[in-house]
Amino acid sequence: MVTTNSLDSSLQKLEEVLRGYESVIVAFSGGADSAFLAFMAQKVLGDNALCVTAISPSFAQAEHEDCAQLVKEWGLQWEEVQTEEFENPAYVRNEGDRCFYCKTALMDAIEPITKTNKSVVVLGVNVDDLGDHRPGQLAASERGAKFPLVEAGFTKDMVRQASKQMGLRTWSKPAAACLSSRVPYGTSVTVGILSKVERAEAALHQLGFDQLRVRHYDTTARLEFPIDELEQVLRHRQEIVEAVKAVGYAYVTVDLEGFRSGNLNAALDK
């Protein structure tokens, strides 16, 4: 349970951490964590806070558009950079360390900016993220990136509660990992696959489902929805099947274990 005192203490600590950096570049994906960090960095550092969004086939167009909208709403300083992870065969192979090469590409793209303004790169990693399989965190930290939310003791719930308290609409935004996370390890990541996944998820969003994943298994789409929405899923079974098949899948299945962020990581433990 997040208490008012613990949240206030962490907010104060976060402001102290950000002031200590003096100038930052926020890796800004538009999700609840990076948006909260971007908002706080601007509040504390003003013009010394720059948000940078990595553009690649693994970043959904809808998320890109929402980043642009948040920048407009909050008056953030913003730049976009093209990342080249798909040029790296190790990334495309999609083994357990794929995220390492993604964050390496991000840091490669941001590095010229840091040399210009001598800023510290900060990522919206929270305390809860530390317990998951996140090789990208290692790649970023090895290149000097910092995790101010971790330093200030923020969990995911605390990020959402603080965001709500500040009136940030991102407080309830569903988790949205990169599109490559929908492809099982060992299956090569291609632009074509990610495009198919993105179109399938967009079609399901249009049917009124917010939190979901389309996991790609060749000609089969395995859909994940929150457990408490499965009755609604069954009521809209025909529309869901038609929407997913329309993008090219031959078979449509629903995972009865429900939505789980990062659940493909379970295969790494076997």
Side-chain angles (χ1 to χ4, degrees), residues 33-239:
D33 295 324
S34 73
F36 172 66
L37 181 57
F39 184 88
M40 290 298 297
Q42 181 204 48
K43 175 185 175 184
V44 174
L45 299 173
D47 291 343
N48 288 325
L50 172 67
C51 298
V52 173
T53 299
I55 307 301
S56 83
S58 67
F59 189 52
Q61 181 61 28
E63 295 301 317
H64 184 189
E65 292 171 357
D66 197 41
C67 281
Q69 185 60 38
L70 287 169
V71 166
K72 183 178 179 181
E73 291 173 17
W74 297 348
L76 303 174
Q77 292 193 89
W78 187 45
E79 288 188 24
E80 300 169 281
V81 294
Q82 297 287 331
T83 54
E84 305 295 335
E85 63 267 30
F86 278 82
E87 300 300 316
N88 187 338
Y91 178 88
V92 174
R93 280 198 302 272
N94 191 24
E95 296 175 349
D97 56 355
R98 181 197 67 236
C99 292
F100 183 93
Y101 303 108
C102 178
K103 282 298 186 290
T104 296
L106 171 66
M107 297 302 291
D108 285 345
I110 291 179
E111 196 167 73
I113 304 174
T114 64
K115 288 181 177 179
T116 299
N117 58 20
K118 298 180 181 179
S119 296
V120 175
V121 178
V122 294
L123 275 63
V125 177
N126 66 64
V127 172
D128 293 332
D129 293 329
L130 300 179
D132 197 2
H133 174 71
R134 305 271 180 131
Q137 294 176 9
L138 175 62
S141 63
E142 285 182 349
R143 297 284 291 273
K146 303 296 183 182
F147 309 147
L149 298 181
V150 172
E151 293 184 59
F154 273 88
T155 63
K156 171 67 78 175
D157 283 345
M158 291 172 71
V159 167
R160 292 193 182 279
Q161 188 166 322
S163 298
K164 185 177 182 180
Q165 181 176 295
M166 294 176 179
L168 309 184
R169 65 172 174 82
T170 50
W171 77 270
S172 60
K173 187 173 181 179
C178 80
L179 292 171
S180 295
S181 68
R182 277 59 155 181
V183 184
Y185 294 118
T187 299
S188 295
V189 176
T190 68
V191 174
I193 288 175
L194 300 191
S195 175
K196 183 186 287 189
V197 168
E198 181 176 10
R199 286 180 285 124
E201 292 193 352
L204 295 175
H205 287 312
Q206 289 180 351
L207 291 177
F209 297 98
D210 292 326
Q211 185 71 84
L212 62 95
R213 290 287 186 272
V214 173
R215 306 293 186 185
H216 175 90
Y217 289 85
D218 193 18
T219 58
T220 299
R222 179 166 63 78
L223 313 184
E224 296 178 10
F225 299 93
I227 290 292
D228 60 5
E229 294 183 11
L230 290 184
E231 288 187 14
Q232 180 185 355
V233 169
L234 289 177
R235 286 197 299 272
H236 295 276
R237 180 185 65 83
Q238 192 59 40
E239 298 148 274

